[in-house]
């Protein structure tokens, strides 16, 4: 691993982000990344966060038209409430703050505590939970569906609405609409290695793949012999389409887990496109790249979001962040 | 029955417990992280070690003078430093227990049991888990039951806490055949079966540290 010691991995990365992105204010000590110039008068602030190891999520999505602040936790560990409270205070213009929370026990507990504390300090807070992962089928006897690729859609589309000056309840309702209209499914070709463990978090032999993985190096629900890109695309597309049954064109994210080359990812995205077309799902926009990663895991996830005209307009709206940039 | 002389549970007792806990978690961090690898995200040991060492340093600088104050302060530091689910859950456990003790300068085993019961109720409420869900509660609930039994039998603080430690360790081991219904291990469904729960294991270590502290105090 290209690190100094496991204990300083997150702080070291934050120092690097600060140098590469002077348009962001990076508080390395307190672990908050804030869009320079915040708070923006009359605009809702968007705060997200989660464990590190998913870069560019979330810090790479701070900027115009997306997040106003991000709170990175330790690797695969949710941030602590102090970070979100600090971020909320820094970005609140008086128009309120939306917390975008991926549905994991730790993230939910820490953001809930933070929301209470921020409200005590006079910040109006709304929360949206992202839970798009269809691989978690049994929500009753689990912690519920995980938040994965749809986080990018929620942050982009709600961020565009906030940038246009929409009020807090409107920004929050768009965020919820996007989450409800999104589904994801992920596949791993290799496990990832956390700095703390120094080796793979689970054992996945060559020639096998893991279906229905999360983004924290946790294994999926089923292991199979290696399949072709086209076969994997069929499995992933079946999973998301059968669950969502979209009746309108979709936004498509074909997301790399961190160690899959773009050459393979683009090939996979062509297969995903083919599989969607065969199932009569039309694709309005396609984004391909490593956006919601799991350290050095090889593999990919497919996220679709059923989009009406309004969501398509918000998708095309200008965005300027380290990881996503167009229209500016 | 040759009951050992009872050591009062005061601020100093719980500061020594904190010291022992930080040492034990430092030593056992790798084992906890290994347990967390197949069914979690391989960080439980690192997070618990970071939190308890930070709490030992911070609380040690300005130690409160009541047992309730010590528990509340540790809980607050865990919430501020651990992250994940463990931070809020262990933080809530200790804060609730601390609040339940109020301003009393020293308590016996019965009051300690009541305080821990309030803390464990807080954990169950926050995490929404029940017995058998393969969580820290599967170590903590048997520990409380064992304390009830030992107290009813007139046991000393040391005996009561020894019984709690034994029950917590057995409870943690008994999570192995369970299917996880809460937390990250729950995503694995039946594949979570066959692994001991890391949260129940760290809970058992913390209860064992209580028993060790009592034994040293009465030695």
């Amino acid at each position: 691993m290209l690190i100094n010691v496991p204990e300083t991995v997150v702080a070291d990365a934050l120092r690097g982000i600060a140098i590469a992105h002077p348009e962001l204010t990076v508080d390395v000590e307190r672990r908050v990344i804030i869009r320079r110039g915040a708070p923006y008068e009359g605009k809702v602030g968007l705060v997200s966060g989660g464990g590190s190891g998913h870069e560019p999520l979330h810090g790479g999505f701070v900027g115009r038209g997306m997040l106003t602040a991000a709170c990175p936790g330790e690797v695969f560990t949710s941030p602590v409430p102090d970070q979100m409270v600090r971020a909320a205070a820094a970005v609140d213009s008086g128009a309120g703050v939306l917390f975008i929370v991926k549905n994991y026990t730790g993230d939910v507990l820490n953001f809930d505590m933070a929301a209470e504390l921020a409200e005590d300090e006079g910040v109006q807070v709304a929360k949206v939970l992202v839970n798009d992962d269809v691989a978690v089928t049994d929500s009753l006897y689990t912690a519920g569906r995980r938040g994965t690729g749809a986080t990018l859609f929620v942050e982009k589309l709600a961020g565009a609405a906030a940038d246009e000056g929409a009020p807090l309840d409107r920004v929050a309702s768009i965020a919820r609409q996007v989450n409800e209209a999104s589904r994801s499914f992920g596949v791993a070709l290799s496990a990832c290695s956390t700095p703390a463990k120094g080796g793979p978090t689970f054992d996945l032999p060559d020639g096998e793949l893991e279906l229905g993985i999360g983004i924290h190096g946790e294994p999926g629900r089923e292991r199979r012999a290696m399949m072709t890109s086209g076969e994997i695309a069929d499995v992933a597309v079946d999973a998301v389409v059968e669950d969502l049954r979209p009746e309108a064109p979709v936004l498509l994210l074909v997301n790399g887990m961190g160690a899959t080359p773009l050459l393979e990812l683009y090939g996979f995205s062509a297969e995903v496109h083919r599989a969607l077309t065969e199932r009569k799902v039309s694709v309005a926009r396609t984004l391909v790249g490593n956006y919601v990663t799991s350290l050095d895991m090889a593999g990919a996830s497919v996220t679709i979001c059923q989009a009406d005209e309004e969501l398509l307009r918000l998708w095309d709206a200008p965005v300027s962040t380290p990881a996503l940039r167009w229209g500016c | 029955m040759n009951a050992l002389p009872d050591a009062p549970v005061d601020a100093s007792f719980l500061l020594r417990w904190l010291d022992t806990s930080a040492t034990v978690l430092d030593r056992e961090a790798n084992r906890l992280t290994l347990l967390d690898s197949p069914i979690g995200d391989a960080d439980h040991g690192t997070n618990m070690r970071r939190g308890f060492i930070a709490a030992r340093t911070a609380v040690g600088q300005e130690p409160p003078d009541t047992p309730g104050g010590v528990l509340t302060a540790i809980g607050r530091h865990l919430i501020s430093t651990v992250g994940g689910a463990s931070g809020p859950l262990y933080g809530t456990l200790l804060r609730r227990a601390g609040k339940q003790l109020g301003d009393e300068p020293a308590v016996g085993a019965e009051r300690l049991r009541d305080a821990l019961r309030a803390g464990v109720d807080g954990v169950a409420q926050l995490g929404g888990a029940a017995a058998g869900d393969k969580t820290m509660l599967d170590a903590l609930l048997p520990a409380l039951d064992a304390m009830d039994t030992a107290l009813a039998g007139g046991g000393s603080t040391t005996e009561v806490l020894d019984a709690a430690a034994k029950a917590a360790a057995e409870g943690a081991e008994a999570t192995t055949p369970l299917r996880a219904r809460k937390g990250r291990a729950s995503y694995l469904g039946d594949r979570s079966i066959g692994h001991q729960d890391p949260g129940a294991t760290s809970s058992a270590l913390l209860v064992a540290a209580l028993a060790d502290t009592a034994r040293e105090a009465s030695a």
Side-chain angles (χ1 to χ4, degrees):
Chain A
M1 283 184 195
L2 183 60
I3 64 171
N4 292 318
V5 290
E7 289 74 20
T8 64
V9 166
V10 175
D12 291 347
L14 287 174
R15 288 192 291 120
I17 291 170
I19 292 162
H21 299 288
E23 72 277 20
L24 304 177
T25 303
V26 181
D27 188 333
V28 177
E29 186 69 23
R30 292 163 167 181
R31 307 215 167 171
V32 186
I33 300 170
I34 299 166
R35 184 182 169 197
R36 201 170 279 276
Y40 287 85
E41 196 52 42
K43 292 187 178 175
V44 170
L46 266 67
V47 174
S48 191
S52 293
H54 308 304
E55 291 68 27
L57 185 84
H58 296 268
F61 297 145
V62 175
R64 184 184 168 196
M66 230 165 153
L67 296 178
T68 332
C71 307
E74 288 293 320
V75 172
F76 293 168
T77 300
S78 85
V80 298
D82 307 31
Q83 290 169 268
M84 287 80 100
V85 172
R86 192 159 285 125
V91 306
D92 181 35
S93 66
V97 173
L98 178 68
F99 283 175
I100 299 170
V101 188
K102 301 197 297 302
N103 187 33
Y104 298 94
T105 309
D107 295 72
V108 171
L109 295 180
N110 284 283
F111 270 99
D112 278 354
M113 288 192 165
E116 233 173 83
L117 294 168
E119 278 167 354
D120 287 350
E121 291 180 12
V123 181
Q124 197 190 349
V125 178
K127 282 177 293 185
V128 60
L129 208 58
V130 184
N131 58 350
D132 53 309
D133 180 14
V134 302
V136 181
T137 49
D138 188 359
S139 291
L140 197 58
Y141 294 107
T142 65
R145 287 185 166 179
R146 298 173 284 216
T148 61
T151 315
L152 182 148
F153 289 148
V154 171
E155 292 178 359
K156 169 67 182 85
L157 299 167
D163 193 42
E164 291 176 354
L168 181 59
D169 58 350
R170 175 76 186 133
V171 176
S173 89
I174 287 171
R176 287 189 194 102
Q177 179 196 346
V178 173
N179 177 57
E180 278 159 27
S182 298
R183 299 291 188 277
S184 295
F185 189 86
V187 177
L189 276 58
S190 76
C192 63
S193 300
T194 60
K197 185 149 185 277
T201 52
F202 64 97
D203 187 36
L204 183 55
D206 280 350
E208 291 184 28
L209 56 78
E210 187 93 20
L211 297 175
I213 47 126
I215 54 171
H216 295 92
E218 65 269 54
R221 296 190 72 90
E222 195 189 342
R223 186 167 292 186
R224 289 218 201 142
M226 188 55 75
M227 303 188 281
T228 64
S229 178
E231 288 164 345
I232 297 171
D234 282 318
V235 170
V237 166
D238 270 338
V240 292
V241 169
E242 279 171 19
D243 203 274
L244 182 64
R245 302 196 176 280
E247 287 163 0
V250 297
L251 305 172
L252 169 64
L253 168 64
V254 177
N255 173 61
M257 301 309 296
T260 288
L262 280 175
L263 182 73
E264 295 175 25
L265 205 58
Y266 274 110
F268 179 61
S269 81
E271 292 296 339
V272 169
H273 218 276
R274 187 256 322 141
L276 284 167
T277 307
E278 284 174 6
R279 288 158 184 80
K280 313 274 185 260
V281 178
S282 72
V283 179
R285 304 285 187 275
T286 303
L287 182 67
V288 180
N290 296 293
Y291 292 106
V292 183
T293 61
S294 188
L295 292 170
D296 61 343
M297 181 182 274
S301 64
V302 172
T303 304
I304 56 172
C305 171
Q306 176 166 281
D308 57 20
E309 285 301 317
E310 172 70 353
L311 292 189
L312 285 181
R313 191 183 65 74
L314 291 171
W315 181 253
D316 293 335
V319 59
S320 178
T321 69
L324 218 58
R325 184 189 295 263
W326 60 69
C328 287
Chain B
M1 187 168 141
N2 296 320
L4 293 163
D6 248 1
V9 177
D10 54 12
S12 142
F13 181 101
L14 290 175
L15 289 168
R16 275 178 282 131
W17 168 72
L18 172 61
D19 184 46
T20 305
S21 298
T23 305
V24 167
L25 288 169
D26 187 32
R27 194 178 64 221
E28 299 285 332
N30 286 341
R31 183 166 76 96
L32 291 173
T33 289
L34 282 176
L35 287 175
D36 197 29
S37 295
I39 59 169
D41 52 4
D43 64 3
H44 189 56
T46 336
N47 290 341
M48 292 297 284
R49 171 167 58 193
R50 186 180 66 246
F52 271 81
I53 289 177
R56 173 166 66 183
T57 308
V59 177
Q61 276 162 4
E62 278 180 63
D65 53 10
T66 62
V70 172
L71 291 181
T72 310
I74 300 170
R76 210 170 43 235
H77 281 286
L78 294 182
I79 290 171
S80 295
T81 53
V82 178
S86 315
L89 291 170
Y90 276 115
T92 298
L93 169 63
L94 298 180
R95 278 182 61 196
R96 287 281 179 91
K99 277 186 192 164
Q100 222 274 346
L101 290 178
D103 294 332
E104 290 179 61
V107 297
E110 195 164 350
R111 289 283 291 113
L112 182 62
R113 186 269 321 265
D114 293 344
L116 291 177
R117 172 88 59 196
V120 172
D121 285 349
V123 170
Q125 199 180 13
L126 188 64
D133 283 350
K134 200 176 180 108
T135 70
M136 54 198 277
L137 290 181
D138 292 315
L140 295 172
L141 292 171
L144 289 173
D145 292 345
M147 289 177 90
D148 290 343
T149 310
L151 281 166
S156 67
T157 301
T158 306
E159 287 163 340
V160 169
L161 289 174
D162 268 338
K166 185 164 173 287
E170 286 168 1
E173 277 173 36
T175 60
T176 303
L178 298 177
R179 180 186 192 275
R181 282 196 289 253
K182 288 288 167 189
R184 232 165 243 172
S186 68
Y187 302 130
L188 286 167
D190 287 341
R191 289 169 75 185
S192 63
I193 293 169
H195 300 279
Q196 184 168 325
D197 182 61
T201 309
S202 60
S203 288
L205 291 174
L206 294 175
V207 178
L210 269 181
D212 290 345
T213 308
R215 218 175 301 112
E216 280 160 23
S218 60

